[in-house]
Amino acid sequence: MSDNSTSFARFRDSDMWWSFRRSPLTVAAALVTLVYFVGAAFAPWVAPFDPFDVKALNLMDAFTPPAWNEGGTAKHPLGTDNQGRDMLSAILYGCRVSLMIGLAAILLSVTTGVLLGLLAGFRGGWVEAVIMRMADIQLTVPAILIALTLDGVARVVLPKGVHDSVAIWVLVLSIGFAYWPQFARVTRATTLAEKNKDYVNAARIIGVPGARIALAHVLPNAWGPVLVIATIELALAVIAEASLSYLGVGMPATQPSLGTLIRIGNAFLFSGEWWIVIFPALALVILSLSVNLLGDWLRDALNPRLR
């Protein structure tokens, strides 16, 4: 039997798989999340239209209601916006942008937070004090305010025409910098619990460098709680991106994310074109709820005391 088959059989017999199968709500959340990721990844092939293709837009199709409403057509099942863009296609592309920003921001947060947490827990002394006080100070400030501040600084520093072209990376840096303290605190706590155990002391005695001990021996014990936090923080990162874009300091209208679509649609909410804002908002709510449910399940599955 190959190693892959053995690993799959071991996972199939594990407590995590049993816990997953026994929770219909978790299975539903996983399927919904998978649909979002597949739809976002394959948006150019799945979406009926390309909302970025200006030549394909027809202003005569603007404000077309959903297919089940009077005046709607099967060509645009969720209707169109004020520019004639198909709402289903815009949502798929918007999810693609929002998820890309959220994943990149969380990857940045995990990398920064885990490395700083390992350094603080392993070195101790003034290094630990400085890193943890920085984390404590940042935790007193709302993440959205930190992201707003960094985005504002980027708008002042970057030339006027450059910001929109690098808006995605500005958002990734802004959101990623806002969420690293949680990962640093969890990793530091795990490091403090592990660094004086026998296997770490044995590695020191045989001359294994401290950095290798921290990364190869201590870090694997922190991945469980880090994975739980990363899953939950992914939903928060997507919401943060939507909030920034809704406030007009995130993605430009030419590169719609879910937040941008909600901001555009909000102007037409009370004029009868409710679908322009309702469907992107529902997409954001369902995505955030599904990812949070997965995070809750991971927390319980990785902690036997909570099962």
Side-chain angles (χ1 to χ4, degrees):
M1 184 178 293
S2 64
D3 292 341
N4 291 336
S5 300
T6 303
S7 300
F8 178 75
R10 189 182 299 116
F11 174 75
R12 189 179 57 191
D13 296 332
S14 66
D15 290 342
M16 283 191 65
W17 179 243
W18 180 88
S19 172
F20 179 79
R21 290 188 293 110
R22 296 278 294 183
S23 175
L25 188 62
T26 303
V27 173
L31 290 176
V32 171
T33 304
L34 180 63
V35 168
Y36 270 92
F37 275 90
V38 171
F42 296 98
W45 298 274
V46 176
F49 301 93
D50 183 358
F52 296 111
D53 186 4
V54 180
K55 295 181 294 184
L57 296 180
N58 186 357
L59 291 179
M60 298 300 293
D61 292 334
F63 299 118
T64 300
W68 58 87
N69 275 25
E70 183 180 357
T73 65
K75 181 181 178 182
H76 304 292
L78 300 184
T80 62
D81 64 4
N82 60 316
Q83 299 179 39
R85 293 184 299 192
D86 179 68
M87 288 305 302
L88 177 58
S89 303
I91 289 172
L92 286 172
Y93 276 86
C95 287
R96 192 182 198 193
V97 173
S98 295
L99 284 173
M100 184 173 69
I101 292 173
L103 288 171
I106 292 304
L107 180 61
L108 177 61
S109 295
V110 169
T111 303
T112 305
V114 166
L115 290 178
L116 289 176
L118 277 174
L119 181 62
F122 215 76
R123 290 293 300 272
W126 67 269
V127 174
E128 179 185 16
V130 169
I131 294 175
M132 287 301 101
R133 294 302 75 76
M134 288 171 54
D136 291 341
I137 292 172
Q138 186 164 327
L139 285 172
T140 63
V141 183
I144 189 67
L145 184 57
I146 295 174
L148 275 171
T149 302
L150 293 177
D151 185 82
V153 171
R155 287 176 180 273
V156 173
V157 173
L158 296 175
K160 187 176 181 180
V162 174
H163 182 272
D164 285 354
S165 62
V166 296
I168 287 181
W169 305 113
V170 172
L171 283 173
V172 168
L173 290 174
S174 301
I175 298 172
F177 182 76
Y179 288 112
W180 71 267
Q182 292 89 335
F183 298 101
R185 289 168 68 91
V186 168
T187 306
R188 168 185 170 270
T190 303
T191 303
L192 289 176
E194 297 290 328
K195 72 174 186 177
N196 292 320
K197 290 187 176 180
D198 292 341
Y199 74 92
V200 176
N201 291 327
R204 286 197 186 101
I205 291 173
I206 63 176
V208 177
R212 184 176 176 184
I213 294 174
L215 294 174
H217 300 287
V218 176
L219 180 58
N221 293 288
W223 277 126
V226 166
L227 181 61
V228 173
I229 296 175
T231 305
I232 296 174
E233 295 289 349
L234 173 60
L236 294 178
V238 172
I239 293 174
E241 181 279 321
S243 301
L244 290 170
S245 296
Y246 180 81
L247 294 173
V249 295
M251 295 302 297
T254 54
Q255 303 178 52
S257 68
L258 290 178
T260 308
L261 294 174
I262 294 172
R263 173 170 59 85
I264 294 172
N266 189 59
F268 305 98
L269 179 60
F270 297 106
S271 62
E273 291 81 13
W274 51 268
W275 59 88
I276 302 178
V277 65
I278 292 298
F279 290 134
L282 279 176
L284 177 62
V285 169
I286 294 172
L287 172 60
S288 302
L289 179 61
S290 300
V291 174
N292 269 318
L293 288 173
L294 282 178
D296 289 342
W297 167 75
L298 270 177
R299 179 196 60 197
D300 298 342
L302 294 175
N303 189 345
R305 290 176 294 181
L306 297 178
R307 291 206 294 266

